[in-house]
Coordinates of all heavy atoms in Angstrom, one line a residue:
T780 N -15.9 -44.5 52.4 CA -14.6 -44.4 53.0 C -13.5 -44.5 52.0 O -12.5 -43.7 52.0 CB -14.4 -45.5 54.1 OG1 -15.4 -45.5 55.0 CG2 -13.0 -45.4 54.8
E781 N -13.7 -45.4 51.0 CA -12.7 -45.6 49.9 C -12.7 -44.3 49.1 O -11.7 -43.8 48.7 CB -13.1 -46.8 49.0 CG -12.8 -48.1 49.7 CD -13.4 -49.3 48.9 OE1 -14.4 -49.1 48.2 OE2 -13.0 -50.4 49.2
R782 N -13.9 -43.8 48.8 CA -14.0 -42.5 48.0 C -13.2 -41.4 48.7 O -12.5 -40.6 48.1 CB -15.4 -42.1 47.8 CG -16.1 -42.9 46.7 CD -17.5 -42.3 46.4 NE -18.2 -43.1 45.5 CZ -19.4 -42.8 45.0 NH1 -19.9 -41.6 45.4 NH2 -20.0 -43.5 44.2
E783 N -13.5 -41.2 50.0 CA -12.8 -40.2 50.7 C -11.3 -40.3 50.7 O -10.6 -39.3 50.6 CB -13.4 -40.1 52.2 CG -14.8 -39.7 52.3 CD -15.0 -38.3 51.7 OE1 -14.2 -37.4 51.9 OE2 -16.1 -38.1 51.1
T784 N -10.9 -41.5 50.8 CA -9.4 -41.8 50.7 C -8.9 -41.3 49.3 O -7.8 -40.7 49.3 CB -9.1 -43.3 51.0 OG1 -9.6 -43.6 52.2 CG2 -7.6 -43.6 50.9
V785 N -9.6 -41.7 48.3 CA -9.2 -41.3 46.9 C -9.2 -39.7 46.8 O -8.3 -39.1 46.3 CB -10.1 -41.9 45.9 CG1 -9.8 -41.3 44.5 CG2 -9.8 -43.4 45.9
Y786 N -10.3 -39.1 47.3 CA -10.3 -37.6 47.2 C -9.2 -37.0 48.0 O -8.6 -36.0 47.5 CB -11.7 -37.1 47.8 CG -12.9 -37.6 47.1 CD1 -14.1 -37.7 47.8 CD2 -12.9 -38.0 45.7 CE1 -15.2 -38.2 47.2 CE2 -14.0 -38.5 45.1 CZ -15.2 -38.6 45.8 OH -16.3 -39.0 45.2
K787 N -8.9 -37.5 49.1 CA -7.8 -37.0 49.9 C -6.4 -37.2 49.2 O -5.6 -36.3 49.1 CB -7.7 -37.6 51.3 CG -6.7 -36.9 52.2 CD -6.9 -37.3 53.6 CE -6.1 -36.4 54.5 NZ -6.5 -36.4 55.9
A788 N -6.2 -38.3 48.6 CA -5.0 -38.6 47.8 C -4.9 -37.6 46.6 O -3.8 -37.1 46.3 CB -5.0 -40.1 47.3
L789 N -6.0 -37.4 45.9 CA -6.0 -36.5 44.8 C -5.7 -35.0 45.3 O -4.9 -34.3 44.7 CB -7.4 -36.5 44.1 CG -7.7 -37.7 43.3 CD1 -9.1 -37.6 42.8 CD2 -6.7 -37.8 42.1
Y790 N -6.3 -34.7 46.4 CA -6.0 -33.3 47.0 C -4.5 -33.2 47.3 O -3.9 -32.1 47.1 CB -6.8 -33.1 48.3 CG -6.4 -31.9 49.1 CD1 -6.7 -30.6 48.6 CD2 -5.8 -32.1 50.3 CE1 -6.2 -29.5 49.3 CE2 -5.4 -31.0 51.0 CZ -5.6 -29.7 50.5 OH -5.2 -28.6 51.2
L791 N -3.9 -34.2 47.8 CA -2.5 -34.2 48.3 C -1.5 -34.5 47.2 O -0.3 -34.3 47.3 CB -2.3 -35.1 49.4 CG -3.0 -34.9 50.7 CD1 -2.9 -36.0 51.7 CD2 -2.6 -33.5 51.3
S792 N -2.0 -34.9 46.0 CA -1.1 -35.3 44.9 C -0.1 -34.2 44.5 O -0.4 -33.0 44.4 CB -1.9 -35.7 43.7 OG -2.7 -36.7 43.9
K793 N 1.1 -34.6 44.2 CA 2.2 -33.8 43.7 C 2.9 -34.5 42.5 O 3.0 -35.7 42.5 CB 3.2 -33.4 44.8 CG 2.6 -32.6 45.9 CD 3.7 -32.1 46.8 CE 3.3 -31.4 48.0 NZ 2.1 -30.6 48.0
S794 N 3.3 -33.7 41.6 CA 4.0 -34.3 40.4 C 5.4 -34.5 40.7 O 6.1 -33.7 41.4 CB 3.9 -33.3 39.3 OG 4.6 -33.8 38.2
T795 N 6.0 -35.6 40.2 CA 7.4 -35.8 40.3 C 8.1 -35.6 39.0 O 9.3 -35.6 38.9 CB 7.7 -37.3 40.7 OG1 7.1 -38.2 39.8 CG2 7.1 -37.6 42.1
D796 N 7.3 -35.3 37.9 CA 7.9 -35.2 36.6 C 7.5 -33.9 35.9 O 7.7 -33.7 34.7 CB 7.6 -36.3 35.7 CG 6.1 -36.4 35.4 OD1 5.3 -35.6 35.9 OD2 5.7 -37.4 34.7
G797 N 6.9 -32.9 36.7 CA 6.5 -31.6 36.1 C 5.1 -31.6 35.5 O 4.7 -30.6 35.0
T798 N 4.4 -32.7 35.5 CA 3.1 -32.8 35.0 C 2.2 -31.9 35.9 O 2.3 -31.9 37.1 CB 2.5 -34.2 35.1 OG1 3.4 -35.0 34.3 CG2 1.1 -34.3 34.6
D799 N 1.3 -31.1 35.3 CA 0.3 -30.3 36.0 C -0.8 -31.2 36.5 O -1.7 -31.6 35.8 CB -0.2 -29.2 35.1 CG -1.1 -28.2 35.9 OD1 -1.6 -28.6 36.9 OD2 -1.3 -27.1 35.4
V800 N -0.7 -31.6 37.7 CA -1.6 -32.6 38.3 C -3.0 -32.0 38.3 O -4.0 -32.8 38.0 CB -1.2 -32.9 39.8 CG1 -2.3 -33.8 40.5 CG2 0.2 -33.6 39.8
D801 N -3.2 -30.7 38.5 CA -4.6 -30.2 38.5 C -5.2 -30.3 37.1 O -6.4 -30.6 37.0 CB -4.5 -28.7 38.9 CG -4.0 -28.6 40.4 OD1 -4.7 -29.2 41.2 OD2 -3.0 -27.9 40.6
Q802 N -4.4 -30.0 36.1 CA -5.0 -30.2 34.7 C -5.4 -31.6 34.5 O -6.4 -31.9 33.8 CB -4.0 -29.7 33.7 CG -3.7 -28.2 33.7 CD -4.8 -27.4 33.0 OE1 -5.9 -27.9 32.7 NE2 -4.6 -26.2 32.8
V803 N -4.6 -32.6 34.9 CA -4.9 -34.0 34.7 C -6.2 -34.4 35.5 O -7.0 -35.1 34.9 CB -3.7 -34.9 35.2 CG1 -4.1 -36.4 35.2 CG2 -2.5 -34.6 34.4
I804 N -6.3 -33.9 36.7 CA -7.5 -34.2 37.5 C -8.7 -33.6 36.8 O -9.8 -34.2 36.6 CB -7.4 -33.6 38.9 CG1 -6.3 -34.4 39.7 CG2 -8.7 -33.8 39.7 CD1 -5.9 -33.8 41.0
V805 N -8.6 -32.3 36.3 CA -9.8 -31.7 35.7 C -10.1 -32.4 34.4 O -11.3 -32.6 34.0 CB -9.5 -30.2 35.4 CG1 -10.5 -29.6 34.5 CG2 -9.5 -29.4 36.7
D806 N -9.1 -32.8 33.6 CA -9.3 -33.5 32.4 C -10.1 -34.8 32.6 O -11.0 -35.1 31.9 CB -8.0 -33.8 31.7 CG -7.4 -32.6 31.0 OD1 -8.1 -31.6 30.8 OD2 -6.2 -32.7 30.6
A807 N -9.7 -35.5 33.7 CA -10.3 -36.8 34.0 C -11.8 -36.5 34.5 O -12.7 -37.2 34.1 CB -9.6 -37.5 35.1
A808 N -12.0 -35.5 35.3 CA -13.3 -35.2 35.9 C -14.3 -34.7 34.8 O -15.5 -34.7 35.1 CB -13.2 -34.2 37.0
T809 N -13.8 -34.2 33.7 CA -14.7 -33.6 32.7 C -14.9 -34.6 31.6 O -15.6 -34.2 30.6 CB -14.1 -32.3 32.2 OG1 -12.8 -32.4 31.7 CG2 -14.1 -31.2 33.3
R810 N -14.5 -35.8 31.7 CA -14.8 -36.8 30.7 C -16.2 -37.4 31.0 O -16.5 -37.7 32.2 CB -13.7 -37.9 30.7 CG -12.4 -37.5 30.1 CD -11.6 -38.7 29.7 NE -10.3 -38.2 29.2 CZ -9.2 -38.2 29.9 NH1 -9.2 -38.7 31.1 NH2 -8.1 -37.7 29.4
P811 N -16.9 -37.7 30.0 CA -18.3 -38.2 30.3 C -18.4 -39.6 30.9 O -19.4 -39.9 31.5 CB -18.9 -38.3 28.9 CG -17.8 -38.1 27.9 CD -16.7 -37.5 28.6
E812 N -17.3 -40.3 30.9 CA -17.3 -41.7 31.4 C -17.4 -41.7 33.0 O -17.7 -42.7 33.6 CB -16.1 -42.5 31.0 CG -15.8 -42.6 29.6 CD -15.0 -41.4 29.1 OE1 -14.0 -40.9 29.7 OE2 -15.4 -40.9 28.0
M813 N -17.1 -40.6 33.6 CA -17.0 -40.6 35.1 C -18.4 -40.6 35.7 O -19.3 -39.9 35.2 CB -16.1 -39.4 35.6 CG -15.9 -39.4 37.1 SD -14.8 -38.2 37.6 CE -13.3 -39.0 37.2
N814 N -18.5 -41.3 36.8 CA -19.7 -41.3 37.6 C -20.0 -39.9 38.0 O -19.1 -39.1 38.5 CB -19.5 -42.2 38.8 CG -20.6 -42.2 39.8 OD1 -20.8 -41.2 40.5 ND2 -21.4 -43.2 39.9
A815 N -21.3 -39.4 37.9 CA -21.7 -38.0 38.2 C -21.4 -37.6 39.6 O -20.9 -36.5 39.9 CB -23.1 -37.8 37.9
S816 N -21.7 -38.4 40.6 CA -21.4 -38.0 42.0 C -19.9 -37.9 42.3 O -19.5 -37.0 43.1 CB -22.1 -39.0 43.0 OG -21.5 -40.2 42.9
I817 N -19.1 -38.8 41.7 CA -17.7 -38.7 41.9 C -17.2 -37.5 41.2 O -16.4 -36.7 41.7 CB -17.0 -40.0 41.3 CG1 -17.4 -41.2 42.2 CG2 -15.5 -39.8 41.3 CD1 -16.9 -42.5 41.7
R818 N -17.7 -37.2 40.0 CA -17.3 -36.0 39.2 C -17.6 -34.7 40.1 O -16.7 -33.8 40.2 CB -18.0 -35.9 37.9 CG -17.7 -34.7 37.1 CD -18.6 -34.5 35.9 NE -19.1 -35.7 35.3 CZ -18.6 -36.2 34.2 NH1 -17.6 -35.7 33.5 NH2 -19.2 -37.3 33.6
Q819 N -18.8 -34.7 40.6 CA -19.1 -33.5 41.4 C -18.2 -33.3 42.6 O -17.8 -32.2 42.9 CB -20.6 -33.6 41.9 CG -21.6 -33.5 40.9 CD -23.0 -33.8 41.4 OE1 -23.5 -34.9 41.2 NE2 -23.6 -32.8 42.0
A820 N -17.9 -34.4 43.3 CA -17.0 -34.3 44.5 C -15.6 -33.8 44.0 O -15.0 -33.0 44.7 CB -16.9 -35.6 45.2
I821 N -15.1 -34.4 43.0 CA -13.7 -34.0 42.5 C -13.7 -32.6 42.1 O -12.8 -31.8 42.5 CB -13.3 -35.0 41.4 CG1 -13.0 -36.4 41.9 CG2 -12.0 -34.4 40.7 CD1 -12.7 -37.4 40.9
L822 N -14.7 -32.1 41.3 CA -14.7 -30.7 40.9 C -14.9 -29.8 42.0 O -14.1 -28.8 42.2 CB -15.8 -30.5 39.9 CG -15.6 -31.2 38.5 CD1 -16.9 -31.1 37.7 CD2 -14.4 -30.6 37.8
A823 N -15.8 -30.0 42.9 CA -16.1 -29.0 44.0 C -15.1 -29.1 45.1 O -14.6 -28.1 45.6 CB -17.5 -29.2 44.5
R824 N -14.8 -30.3 45.5 CA -14.0 -30.4 46.7 C -12.5 -30.5 46.4 O -11.7 -29.9 47.1 CB -14.4 -31.7 47.5 CG -15.9 -31.5 48.1 CD -16.4 -32.7 48.7 NE -15.5 -33.4 49.6 CZ -15.6 -34.7 49.9 NH1 -16.6 -35.4 49.5 NH2 -14.7 -35.2 50.7
V825 N -12.1 -31.4 45.5 CA -10.7 -31.6 45.3 C -10.1 -30.4 44.5 O -9.1 -29.8 45.0 CB -10.4 -32.9 44.5 CG1 -9.0 -33.1 44.2 CG2 -10.9 -34.1 45.4
I826 N -10.6 -30.1 43.4 CA -10.1 -29.0 42.5 C -10.1 -27.7 43.3 O -9.2 -26.9 43.3 CB -10.8 -28.9 41.2 CG1 -10.6 -30.2 40.4 CG2 -10.4 -27.7 40.4 CD1 -9.1 -30.4 40.0
G827 N -11.3 -27.4 43.9 CA -11.4 -26.1 44.6 C -10.4 -26.0 45.7 O -9.9 -24.9 46.0
S828 N -10.1 -27.1 46.4 CA -9.2 -27.1 47.5 C -7.7 -27.0 47.1 O -6.9 -26.6 47.9 CB -9.4 -28.3 48.4 OG -10.7 -28.3 48.9

Side-chain angles (χ1 to χ4, degrees):
T780 304
E781 290 169 337
R782 283 186 185 186
E783 290 302 318
T784 302
V785 170
Y786 300 151
K787 189 167 192 160
L789 288 171
Y790 168 71
L791 296 171
S792 298
K793 293 191 185 326
S794 173
T795 58
D796 64 358
T798 301
D799 186 337
V800 174
D801 297 302
Q802 291 284 9
V803 172
I804 295 170
V805 169
D806 287 345
T809 56
R810 286 199 184 103
E812 307 85 43
M813 185 173 283
N814 172 288
S816 66
I817 293 171
R818 178 192 328 260
Q819 286 174 263
I821 289 173
L822 289 170
R824 294 173 46 201
V825 175
I826 296 298
S828 298

